[in-house]
């Protein structure tokens, strides 16, 4: 250890002196100050590179990091040839940071493996090696570079702890605080964190700090989700067009409609676009959390606002009426309301018709309520449809029998006609004379 430190000092001093000589001894103090200032920059830039290379060379000379060849794979250890008299031994616990790693499945005799020498035991003729430690050092370089370059790393949530979760990235445990574990604030953060367990996630490293002599990495899932959502939102607005269909989730309900979450943005379904049926409040048609099909009615890319439709053209009750209920159709209708001139009745959802008071029954009445009740189902015939004015006329009387008193009165009328009676010429002439005599008188 002492020898290694002396070598570091010799390399540093030698390089510093050579650099100082190259710059030259100035004849003035200003030149000397300029050289000293330049030296500071050189030490920060050029010296660091050569200094690190020298350290690597020293490390290689001492064989702290070795590349060996796998000889045998045993249940509890791996034997490795590291080019020395001693046999390299990797204990199972020193193989990987992943407790589920299986050396027998990942290695074969003859494979190269890089390790760090932990201890040499000359008496037993073995060298204790650690692949896990080497991986940790290299993986920390991955973490550090990702932090420096603001890169996204892929990992798995391996533990849920107080205040957040632990994401294992390339064998390194990264702590993700609860505030950075989800895209939005959660009412029940504990339940939200529990749902993340064993999930594959993408994270960004937001801080690396030392605590009690150990390095710790702090990550964020939220920042990655936020960036991903922004990309999806930009793509959404680039592809949007009137009539495009989406499947969304009802996010909230108001008196004037409901807001639907389309995944990357929200859109408004006005109450007039919710249903063809009549309703008092949008909550009569949809509920929060319900999945519904919607389509784009209009949009404003500058204000990032979307108007959505939910009711379908093919569900338009007037189209259904035109197709399935032409004039002359007999159908069951439900009495919905009364007026002095008749009764309104539901024909199909969203369509009402009027039964004029004279078409309710086959006898005279003063009020519809004399023979009908609200909610009563009666049989009626469609006798007229005005699609322009959206009016339908119904008749119950058209399906009723004629009253008996009317039939009796009708039966008393003599509507018989005499049959032609054969008559001779003489009889006709005699009758003619009588007719003429009467006319003359």
């Amino acid at each position: 250890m002492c020898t290694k430190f002396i070598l570091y000092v010799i390399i540093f001093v030698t390089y510093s002196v050579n650099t100082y000589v190259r710059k030259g001894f100035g004849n003035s103090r200003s030149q000397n100050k300029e050289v000293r200032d330049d030296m500071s920059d050189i030490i920060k830039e050029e010296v660091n590179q050569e200094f690190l290379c020298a350290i690597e060379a020293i490390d290689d000379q001492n064989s702290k990091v070795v590349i060996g060849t796998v000889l045998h794979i045993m249940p509890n250890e791996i034997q490795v040839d590291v080019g020395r008299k001693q046999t390299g031994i990797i204990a199972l616990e020193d193989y990987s940071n992943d407790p589920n790693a299986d050396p027998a499945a990942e290695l074969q005799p003859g494979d190269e493996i890089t390790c760090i020498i932990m201890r040499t035991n000359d008496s037993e003729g073995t060298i204790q090696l650690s692949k896990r430690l080497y991986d940790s050092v290299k993986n920390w370089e991955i973490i550090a570079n990702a932090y420096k370059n603001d890169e996204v790393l892929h990992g798995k949530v391996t533990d849920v702890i107080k205040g957040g979760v632990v994401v294992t990235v390339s064998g390194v445990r990264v702590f993700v605080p609860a505030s950075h574990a989800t895209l939005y604030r959660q009412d029940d953060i504990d339940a939200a964190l529990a749902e993340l367990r064993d999930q594959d996630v993408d994270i960004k490293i937001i801080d690396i700090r030392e605590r009690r002599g150990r390095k710790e990495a702090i990550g964020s899932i939220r920042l990655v989700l936020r960036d991903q959502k922004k990309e999806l939102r930009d793509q959404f607005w680039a592809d949007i067009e009137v009539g495009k269909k989406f499947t969304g989730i009802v996010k909230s309900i108001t008196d004037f409609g409901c807001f639907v979450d389309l995944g990357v943005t929200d859109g408004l379904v006005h109450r007039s676009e919710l249903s063809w049926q009549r309703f008092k409040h949008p909550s009569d048609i949809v509920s929060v959390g319900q999945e519904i099909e919607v389509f784009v009615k209009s949009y404003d890319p500058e204000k990032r606002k979307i108007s959505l439709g939910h009711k379908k053209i093919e569900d338009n009750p007037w189209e259904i009426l035109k197709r399935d209920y032409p004039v002359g159709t007999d159908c069951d209708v439900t009495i919905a309301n009364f007026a002095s001139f008749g009764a309104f009745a539901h024909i199909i959802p969203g369509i009402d018709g009027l039964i004029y008071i004279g078409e309710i029954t086959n006898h005279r009445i003063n009020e519809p309520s004399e023979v009908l009740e609200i909610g009563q189902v009666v049989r009626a015939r469609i006798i007229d449809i005005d699609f322009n004015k959206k009016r339908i006329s119904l008749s119950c009387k058209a399906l009723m029998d004629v009253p008996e008193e009317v039939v009796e009165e009708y039966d008393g009328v003599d509507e018989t006609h005499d049959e032609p009676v054969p008559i001779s010429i003489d009889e006709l002439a005699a009758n003619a004379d009588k007719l003429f005599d009467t006319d003359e008188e």
Side-chain angles (χ1 to χ4, degrees):
M1 186 68 182
C2 182
T3 304
K4 187 174 181 179
F5 176 78
I6 293 172
L7 287 173
Y8 287 168
V9 173
I10 292 173
I11 293 170
F12 180 82
V13 172
T14 302
Y15 185 84
S16 300
V17 171
N18 289 338
T19 304
Y20 192 78
V21 170
R22 287 199 300 269
K23 287 290 180 179
F25 269 144
N27 294 325
S28 64
R29 293 182 179 178
S30 60
Q31 283 183 317
N32 292 339
K33 182 178 184 302
E34 181 180 352
V35 171
R36 287 194 298 270
D37 292 339
D38 290 342
M39 276 288 296
S40 177
D41 294 335
I42 292 170
I43 291 173
K44 290 179 181 178
E45 298 176 7
E46 299 179 24
V47 173
N48 282 345
Q49 298 299 324
E50 294 186 21
F51 189 52
L52 291 175
C53 290
I55 292 175
E56 291 178 0
I58 293 171
D59 285 340
D60 289 340
Q61 291 168 9
N62 285 273
S63 300
K64 293 297 182 183
V65 177
V66 293
I67 299 176
T69 303
V70 176
L71 296 176
H72 303 287
I73 304 171
M74 300 178 181
N76 296 324
E77 63 182 34
I78 304 163
Q79 294 184 358
V80 180
D81 179 7
V82 293
R84 295 188 180 187
K85 296 178 181 180
Q86 301 94 334
T87 300
I89 302 296
I90 304 176
L92 185 61
E93 60 270 18
D94 287 324
Y95 174 72
S96 175
N97 286 307
D98 184 359
N100 298 318
D102 184 4
E106 299 175 3
L107 298 175
Q108 292 181 355
D111 289 349
E112 285 190 347
I113 187 168
T114 304
C115 305
I116 291 180
I117 296 177
M118 302 293 293
R119 187 180 299 106
T120 300
N121 191 331
D122 292 328
S123 62
E124 295 182 2
T126 60
I127 301 175
Q128 183 181 345
L129 305 174
S130 176
K131 174 181 174 295
R132 178 180 59 82
L133 184 57
Y134 174 78
D135 290 342
S136 296
V137 173
K138 300 302 292 184
N139 291 338
W140 260 109
E141 293 180 5
I142 296 174
I143 299 296
N145 289 334
Y147 175 54
K148 178 181 179 181
N149 301 319
D150 196 31
E151 297 175 351
V152 176
L153 297 174
H154 186 73
K156 185 174 184 178
V157 178
T158 54
D159 199 6
V160 178
I161 61 177
K162 183 179 180 180
V165 297
V166 174
V167 179
T168 300
V169 181
S170 300
V172 177
R173 290 166 59 87
V174 179
F175 174 66
V176 177
S179 59
H180 281 269
T182 58
L183 181 59
Y184 301 112
R185 184 183 298 275
Q186 303 292 322
D187 294 333
D188 189 349
I189 187 62
D190 292 335
L193 295 179
E195 291 180 359
L196 289 174
R197 186 186 293 273
D198 296 329
Q199 288 192 19
D200 292 331
V201 295
D202 292 327
I203 68 170
K204 279 188 175 182
I205 305 301
I206 57 176
D207 192 17
I208 293 179
R209 62 184 66 164
E210 288 193 10
R211 182 181 180 185
R212 298 177 182 175
R214 298 181 60 183
K215 290 184 178 179
E216 291 183 350
I218 312 299
S220 173
I221 299 173
R222 180 175 61 84
L223 292 181
V224 177
L225 294 177
R226 184 194 63 185
D227 293 343
Q228 290 175 347
K229 186 169 184 178
K230 182 180 182 303
E231 292 179 4
L232 292 174
R233 187 184 294 112
D234 293 341
Q235 188 63 43
F236 174 90
W237 285 103
D239 297 338
I240 194 172
E241 58 184 5
V242 173
K244 192 167 184 178
K245 297 179 180 179
F246 296 94
T247 299
I249 304 295
V250 177
K251 188 174 181 179
S252 61
I253 300 175
T254 66
D255 292 338
F256 53 83
C258 69
F259 289 93
V260 178
D261 183 1
L262 302 179
V264 295
T265 189
D266 296 342
L268 171 65
V269 182
H270 191 267
R271 61 177 297 144
S272 62
E273 294 294 332
L274 274 175
S275 176
W276 294 103
Q277 303 178 29
R278 294 184 178 91
F279 57 89
K280 293 182 178 180
H281 193 269
S283 59
D284 298 335
I285 304 299
V286 295
S287 57
V288 174
Q290 179 182 347
E291 183 177 276
I292 63 173
E293 300 291 330
V294 295
F295 59 92
V296 178
K297 295 280 292 184
S298 63
Y299 62 94
D300 187 337
E302 294 183 358
K303 295 181 179 180
R304 296 291 177 100
K305 292 184 178 181
I306 309 174
S307 294
L308 301 172
H310 175 56
K311 61 184 185 181
K312 302 176 183 178
I313 298 299
E314 57 267 28
D315 294 335
N316 186 339
W318 287 97
E319 294 298 322
I320 296 174
L321 186 80
K322 182 184 295 185
R323 183 188 67 217
D324 299 335
Y325 297 84
V327 172
T329 300
D330 297 340
C331 55
D332 292 329
V333 299
T334 303
I335 304 303
N337 199 7
F338 292 139
S340 59
F341 49 83
F344 291 96
H346 295 316
I347 303 173
I348 59 175
I351 297 288
D352 291 349
L354 171 65
I355 310 174
Y356 184 66
I357 192 168
E359 296 294 336
I360 291 177
T361 186
N362 52 17
H363 61 272
R364 183 179 180 82
I365 58 174
N366 294 320
E367 297 289 340
S369 58
E370 293 178 13
V371 293
L372 297 176
E373 295 180 357
I374 299 297
Q376 180 182 354
V377 177
V378 298
R379 193 74 174 169
R381 176 172 294 169
I382 299 175
I383 58 177
D384 185 51
I385 301 177
D386 188 334
F387 286 100
N388 292 327
K389 294 182 179 180
K390 299 288 192 298
R391 293 178 181 176
I392 304 170
S393 297
L394 301 172
S395 174
C396 295
K397 185 176 72 173
L399 302 177
M400 295 179 179
D401 296 332
V402 180
E404 292 182 1
E405 60 270 18
V406 176
V407 174
E408 291 175 357
E409 182 181 352
Y410 180 79
D411 290 341
V413 178
D414 185 9
E415 293 185 354
T416 60
H417 299 281
D418 293 338
E419 295 290 336
V421 179
I423 186 170
S424 66
I425 297 296
D426 294 336
E427 292 176 338
L428 179 62
N431 291 330
D433 290 339
K434 294 179 180 180
L435 291 172
F436 290 139
D437 291 344
T438 304
D439 291 338
E440 290 178 357
E441 293 178 357

